[in-house]
Amino acid sequence: MNDGYLPPEHVYSVIFDAHAEEAGERSWLVEADATEETLRIVDCAPVAERFGVSPHRTDAVAALASFLADLGGRNAVGLDFPFGLPKAVVPERRWRRFVDRLPDWFSGPEDMTKRCRMHARLVTDGAETDVLRATEEPLSAVAAYDKRLCAETFYGIRDVLRPLVLTDTARVVPMQLPSEDRPLVLETYPAGTLDTLRCQKRDGRPAGSGPTPALVLDSLTDRSVEFTPSAREQVLDGGDTALEAVVAAFATFRNTVDPANLRMTDELPSVEGYVYV
């Protein structure tokens, strides 16, 4: 049953880079119009350019969080950073409380990595290995607190998700139930989505090489994704990050058509978060 659920009319996605000096230039936002059958990409730009702010992380993230808080219902947003940490290293069973208390537990990304690895050694009998969230294991993803990802995880949760959650201006699924008057926020992972598209097998490139941007766009077009001429040019000119933002928008779109994707009975996704591909 849909219980009156209406799929989004607009889809946004953000590839989030938390580098302090140029986060707003390195983070890209895609905007798209959606029906139940098609996704139409209408804009793709760096966050600082889209909102007319400084590229510094503080300014760019504040503008992004404010924009998301004002979206309202019939909107869905895909963000590409981890929304949680493994239950084994942060034994907090209530995700909202975890998000609320994150700034009290960790002083910054490096401190988060240090403390999580300390707890990981305790739960693995001293093994020098990172603990993954349940949702990361089948995707061959790195741990949410890995040094390569810790800045995105920490600043994404603290400065993007936390304001939305504490003010109840968005619903972060599947940890929170959808609401008709709040935007939906999903965790995405473009590399995992690309694996499901399998477009790299169609162009005869050498094993191990990724698909070309044009091939990815063609593969998405085969799956009812449309582009305005200007948006397609923006994506091709924007490089890998712009392309990833489009893939994240597609993942957001296809996972929000059916509300069954947004509700889970398993405990771990409701505590650790869930990656939509």
Side-chain angles (χ1 to χ4, degrees):
M1 291 181 60
N2 284 4
D3 297 326
Y5 175 83
L6 295 173
E9 295 178 331
H10 307 285
V11 169
Y12 302 86
S13 63
V14 179
I15 299 300
F16 183 62
D17 188 313
H19 189 279
E21 296 302 322
E22 49 192 29
E25 293 177 352
R26 297 164 63 98
S27 300
W28 281 69
L29 182 144
V30 158
E31 301 181 41
D33 297 328
T35 69
E36 291 190 24
E37 292 81 26
T38 62
L39 181 73
R40 185 168 186 263
I41 309 296
V42 298
D43 192 55
C44 179
V47 168
E49 177 183 320
R50 171 61 178 78
F51 299 120
V53 297
S54 159
H56 192 277
R57 186 186 65 238
T58 302
D59 297 328
V61 173
L64 173 62
S66 177
F67 172 76
L68 298 182
D70 289 339
L71 283 179
R74 303 297 302 273
N75 290 279
V77 183
L79 305 173
D80 82 323
F81 56 82
F83 286 9
L85 293 171
K87 179 176 177 289
V89 300
V90 182
E92 171 57 66
R93 292 182 177 273
R94 292 169 293 179
W95 180 81
R96 188 186 186 283
R97 182 172 172 82
F98 157 75
V99 171
D100 186 14
R101 298 198 60 188
L102 181 83
D104 299 327
W105 289 340
F106 310 119
S107 61
E110 295 79 11
D111 183 52
M112 182 182 72
T113 296
K114 176 182 176 181
R115 291 175 182 272
C116 286
R117 286 188 169 166
M118 177 182 69
H119 285 287
R121 286 193 292 271
L122 291 175
V123 300
T124 60
D125 294 326
E128 291 296 325
T129 183
D130 285 335
V131 175
L132 297 179
R133 296 181 294 159
T135 190
E136 291 161 344
E137 293 180 3
L139 298 173
S140 301
V142 300
Y145 57 87
D146 185 277
K147 286 185 177 180
R148 291 166 288 179
L149 193 58
C150 63
E152 282 70 32
T153 301
F154 179 80
Y155 292 115
I157 295 174
R158 190 192 71 174
D159 297 339
V160 180
L161 291 185
R162 188 170 181 269
L164 299 175
V165 171
L166 296 186
T167 58
D168 193 28
T169 46
R171 291 300 166 89
V172 184
V173 294
M175 294 79 79
Q176 298 179 308
L177 293 176
S179 172
E180 63 180 12
D181 59 350
R182 302 286 192 276
L184 297 169
V185 181
L186 293 74
E187 179 182 341
T188 60
Y189 180 49
T193 304
L194 276 174
D195 285 344
T196 70
L197 298 180
R198 301 185 184 279
C199 53
Q200 67 267 29
K201 296 184 178 181
R202 294 172 46 192
D203 64 352
R205 302 180 85 207
S209 5
T212 63
L215 185 62
V216 173
L217 297 189
D218 288 344
S219 181
L220 291 172
T221 300
D222 291 343
R223 291 163 173 82
S224 301
V225 179
E226 303 172 355
F227 296 82
T228 65
S230 60
R232 186 180 178 92
E233 184 176 348
Q234 288 172 321
V235 174
L236 292 173
D237 289 346
D240 290 346
T241 307
L243 186 65
E244 290 173 1
V246 172
V247 174
F250 170 69
T252 304
F253 164 68
R254 72 173 175 181
N255 280 286
T256 52
V257 172
D258 185 349
N261 297 325
L262 311 177
R263 300 177 175 127
M264 298 184 185
T265 57
D266 294 344
E267 178 191 10
L268 284 178
S270 67
V271 174
E272 299 181 335
Y274 182 80
V275 178
Y276 288 91
V277 295

